[in-house]
């Protein structure tokens, strides 16, 4: 696995990405083509910025990427004409949704590479990951356009199937992906939700 990790590390450095995690997004994009020119993209847990840079390169000058993270990070090199806005917020902040709504009417794609700080307990880490992912679903319900897309990292565990079932009523298609650039022994996988469909009660209350 060390050899594979070194390959992606050096590939990211050569292509001027801050981290090799970019290839976990690139692989899904090349297969499912959910990022498109002109879209607005919300990147949760964006530090150090590889996903934002990659998304900006696809959505292009008519698109925009907003990155949210607890860490402010450094300014990103502009690989494309798309604007990249970085905001320093906790995703659990009560004001986050209001701040985003003031700036943009909504998003076509919601990305999340967030992960909890690991504790050494697989069960605890799994539960903390699910809590983050359920917050992502809450944000999707408030910020994602109809027919939008969710691509979200989650740690597998005994309650993972239940989380996938929670996603299914919200999207026409839900897939579980394990990118090649993820360590094979890692419990991280990615849930891809395509064509977001707003629950009927939300439509009534909008």
């Amino acid at each position: 696995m060390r050899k594979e990790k070194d390959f992606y590390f050096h590939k990211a450095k050569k292509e001027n990405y801050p981290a090799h995690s970019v290839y976990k997004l690139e692989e899904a994009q090349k297969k499912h083509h959910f990022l498109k020119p002109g879209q607005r993209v919300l990147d949760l847990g964006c530090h150090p910025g590889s996903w934002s840079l990659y998304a900006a390169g696809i959505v292009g000058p008519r698109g925009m990427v907003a990155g949210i993270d607890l860490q402010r990070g450094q300014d990103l090199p502009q690989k494309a004409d798309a604007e990249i806005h970085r905001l320093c917020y906790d995703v659990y902040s009560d004001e986050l949704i209001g701040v985003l709504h003031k700036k943009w009417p909504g998003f076509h794609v919601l990305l999340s590479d967030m992960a909890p700080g690991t504790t050494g307990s697989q069960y605890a880490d799994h539960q903390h990951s699910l809590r983050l992912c359920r917050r992502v679903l809450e944000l999707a319900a408030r910020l994602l356009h109809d027919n939008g897309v969710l691509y979200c990292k989650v740690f597998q565990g005994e309650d993972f199937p239940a989380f996938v079932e929670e996603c299914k009523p919200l999207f026409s298609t839900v897939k579980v992906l394990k990118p090649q650039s993820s360590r094979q022994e890692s419990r991280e996988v990615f849930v891809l939700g395509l064509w977001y469909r707003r629950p009927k009660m939300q439509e009534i209350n909008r």
Side-chain angles (χ1 to χ4, degrees):
M1 183 60 216
R2 175 70 182 176
K3 183 177 180 181
E4 187 174 327
K5 182 178 180 181
D6 285 345
F7 169 77
Y8 286 110
F9 173 82
H10 291 298
K11 181 176 169 65
K13 191 172 183 180
K14 182 179 179 180
E15 296 181 354
N16 294 318
Y17 287 109
H20 71 271
S21 58
V22 65
Y23 303 111
K24 301 172 186 179
L25 175 59
E26 181 186 65
E27 185 178 331
Q29 167 64 15
K30 285 185 173 180
K31 186 173 182 179
H32 299 286
H33 309 287
F34 50 86
L35 290 166
K36 302 180 189 301
Q39 290 178 325
R40 285 185 299 274
V41 178
L42 180 61
D43 180 12
L44 301 176
C46 65
H47 185 79
S50 292
W51 281 28
S52 291
L53 282 170
Y54 181 79
I58 295 176
V59 301
R62 293 185 294 109
M64 183 281 300
V65 179
I68 309 293
D69 203 283
L70 285 169
Q71 301 184 60
R72 290 193 179 276
Q74 298 178 344
D75 290 337
L76 295 172
Q78 294 295 321
K79 293 173 71 74
D81 292 332
E83 293 183 352
I84 300 177
H85 302 266
R86 298 186 72 169
L87 290 78
C88 187
Y89 277 95
D90 186 328
V91 294
Y92 294 109
S93 168
D94 291 335
E95 61 181 313
L96 176 59
I97 293 173
V99 167
L100 292 172
H101 271 315
K102 284 181 181 179
K103 293 177 176 291
W104 303 288
F107 297 88
H108 303 96
V109 180
L110 197 162
L111 305 173
S112 173
D113 195 30
M114 293 191 297
T118 54
T119 64
S121 163
Q122 287 193 356
Y123 177 78
D125 293 345
H126 169 55
Q127 294 301 321
H128 290 317
S129 173
L130 286 179
R131 180 170 177 256
L132 275 173
C133 292
R134 289 187 171 114
R135 176 56 174 167
V136 171
L137 285 184
E138 291 176 2
L139 294 174
R142 301 289 298 278
L143 298 168
L144 202 59
H145 288 312
D146 290 343
N147 298 314
V149 174
L150 170 70
Y151 186 59
C152 178
K153 180 163 74 180
V154 58
F155 291 169
Q156 287 182 304
E158 62 182 67
D159 294 326
F160 174 68
F163 174 72
V164 174
E165 290 301 314
E166 290 172 32
C167 295
K168 286 182 178 179
L170 303 175
F171 298 90
S172 296
T173 300
V174 175
K175 298 177 179 289
V176 178
L177 309 180
K178 177 74 171 180
Q180 289 185 352
S181 54
S182 290
R183 290 181 294 111
Q184 292 308 304
E185 67 271 22
S186 170
R187 292 180 300 118
E188 74 171 16
V189 293
F190 292 82
V191 173
L192 175 63
L194 301 170
W195 302 293
Y196 176 69
R197 49 194 184 193
R198 195 171 305 280
K200 286 185 166 41
M201 285 305 295
Q202 281 193 22
E203 291 178 358
I204 294 172
N205 294 328
R206 286 184 75 184

